[in-house]
mmCIF file of all heavy atoms in Angstrom:
data_model
loop_
_atom_site.group_PDB
_atom_site.id
_atom_site.type_symbol
_atom_site.label_atom_id
_atom_site.label_comp_id
_atom_site.label_asym_id
_atom_site.label_seq_id
_atom_site.Cartn_x
_atom_site.Cartn_y
_atom_site.Cartn_z
ATOM 1 N N THR D 58 -7.691 27.340 21.560
ATOM 2 C CA THR D 58 -6.604 26.535 22.126
ATOM 3 C C THR D 58 -6.569 25.154 21.472
ATOM 4 O O THR D 58 -7.590 24.627 21.045
ATOM 5 C CB THR D 58 -6.763 26.363 23.642
ATOM 6 O OG1 THR D 58 -8.035 25.747 23.915
ATOM 7 C CG2 THR D 58 -6.708 27.706 24.345
ATOM 8 N N ILE D 59 -5.350 24.592 21.435
ATOM 9 C CA ILE D 59 -5.144 23.246 20.891
ATOM 10 C C ILE D 59 -4.629 22.380 22.034
ATOM 11 O O ILE D 59 -3.594 22.670 22.639
ATOM 12 C CB ILE D 59 -4.112 23.259 19.739
ATOM 13 C CG1 ILE D 59 -4.487 24.312 18.690
ATOM 14 C CG2 ILE D 59 -4.006 21.872 19.126
ATOM 15 C CD1 ILE D 59 -5.831 24.108 18.043
ATOM 16 N N SER D 60 -5.339 21.313 22.344
ATOM 17 C CA SER D 60 -4.974 20.468 23.477
ATOM 18 C C SER D 60 -5.343 19.023 23.183
ATOM 19 O O SER D 60 -6.010 18.711 22.194
ATOM 20 C CB SER D 60 -5.663 20.944 24.760
ATOM 21 O OG SER D 60 -7.071 20.878 24.625
ATOM 22 N N GLY D 61 -4.879 18.136 24.074
ATOM 23 C CA GLY D 61 -5.175 16.722 23.890
ATOM 24 C C GLY D 61 -4.636 15.891 25.028
ATOM 25 O O GLY D 61 -4.363 16.404 26.120
ATOM 26 N N THR D 62 -4.424 14.597 24.770
ATOM 27 C CA THR D 62 -4.028 13.653 25.806
ATOM 28 C C THR D 62 -2.955 12.709 25.285
ATOM 29 O O THR D 62 -3.010 12.256 24.132
ATOM 30 C CB THR D 62 -5.240 12.821 26.263
ATOM 31 O OG1 THR D 62 -6.282 13.701 26.692
ATOM 32 C CG2 THR D 62 -4.866 11.898 27.417
ATOM 33 N N PHE D 90 -2.373 17.739 27.759
ATOM 34 C CA PHE D 90 -1.442 18.798 27.387
ATOM 35 C C PHE D 90 -2.214 19.889 26.648
ATOM 36 O O PHE D 90 -3.290 19.649 26.083
ATOM 37 C CB PHE D 90 -0.306 18.271 26.503
ATOM 38 C CG PHE D 90 -0.769 17.702 25.176
ATOM 39 C CD1 PHE D 90 -0.968 18.517 24.076
ATOM 40 C CD2 PHE D 90 -0.992 16.340 25.042
ATOM 41 C CE1 PHE D 90 -1.400 17.995 22.865
ATOM 42 C CE2 PHE D 90 -1.425 15.809 23.837
ATOM 43 C CZ PHE D 90 -1.632 16.635 22.740
ATOM 44 N N GLY D 126 -12.953 26.294 16.621
ATOM 45 C CA GLY D 126 -13.356 26.234 18.016
ATOM 46 C C GLY D 126 -12.190 25.653 18.785
ATOM 47 O O GLY D 126 -11.180 25.242 18.192
ATOM 48 N N ASN D 127 -12.289 25.612 20.102
ATOM 49 C CA ASN D 127 -11.223 25.000 20.889
ATOM 50 C C ASN D 127 -11.103 23.522 20.514
ATOM 51 O O ASN D 127 -12.096 22.804 20.434
ATOM 52 C CB ASN D 127 -11.506 25.126 22.384
ATOM 53 C CG ASN D 127 -11.374 26.560 22.871
ATOM 54 O OD1 ASN D 127 -10.592 27.342 22.324
ATOM 55 N ND2 ASN D 127 -12.136 26.905 23.902
ATOM 56 N N VAL D 128 -9.862 23.086 20.281
ATOM 57 C CA VAL D 128 -9.595 21.699 19.899
ATOM 58 C C VAL D 128 -9.061 20.963 21.123
ATOM 59 O O VAL D 128 -8.060 21.380 21.715
ATOM 60 C CB VAL D 128 -8.571 21.638 18.753
ATOM 61 C CG1 VAL D 128 -8.214 20.188 18.427
ATOM 62 C CG2 VAL D 128 -9.103 22.355 17.521
ATOM 63 N N ASN D 129 -9.719 19.902 21.522
ATOM 64 C CA ASN D 129 -9.272 19.171 22.722
ATOM 65 C C ASN D 129 -9.216 17.666 22.519
ATOM 66 O O ASN D 129 -9.123 16.903 23.482
ATOM 67 C CB ASN D 129 -10.201 19.489 23.907
ATOM 68 C CG ASN D 129 -11.652 19.164 23.606
ATOM 69 O OD1 ASN D 129 -11.962 18.423 22.667
ATOM 70 N ND2 ASN D 129 -12.550 19.725 24.399
ATOM 71 N N ASN D 130 -9.238 17.220 21.265
ATOM 72 C CA ASN D 130 -9.273 15.781 21.007
ATOM 73 C C ASN D 130 -8.016 15.261 20.324
ATOM 74 O O ASN D 130 -8.032 14.170 19.740
ATOM 75 C CB ASN D 130 -10.496 15.426 20.167
ATOM 76 C CG ASN D 130 -10.426 15.997 18.756
ATOM 77 O OD1 ASN D 130 -9.727 17.003 18.535
ATOM 78 N ND2 ASN D 130 -11.146 15.397 17.821
ATOM 79 N N VAL D 131 -6.912 16.013 20.407
ATOM 80 C CA VAL D 131 -5.655 15.492 19.857
ATOM 81 C C VAL D 131 -5.202 14.319 20.730
ATOM 82 O O VAL D 131 -5.199 14.410 21.965
ATOM 83 C CB VAL D 131 -4.566 16.579 19.820
ATOM 84 C CG1 VAL D 131 -3.261 15.999 19.263
ATOM 85 C CG2 VAL D 131 -5.028 17.761 18.986
ATOM 86 N N SER D 132 -4.837 13.228 20.095
ATOM 87 C CA SER D 132 -4.452 12.026 20.830
ATOM 88 C C SER D 132 -3.036 11.620 20.433
ATOM 89 O O SER D 132 -2.737 11.485 19.244
ATOM 90 C CB SER D 132 -5.434 10.885 20.520
ATOM 91 O OG SER D 132 -5.025 9.687 21.131
#
Side-chain angles (χ1 to χ4, degrees):
T58 58
I59 308 300
S60 61
T62 304
F90 62 85
N127 290 330
V128 176
N129 57 17
N130 67 336
V131 179
S132 175

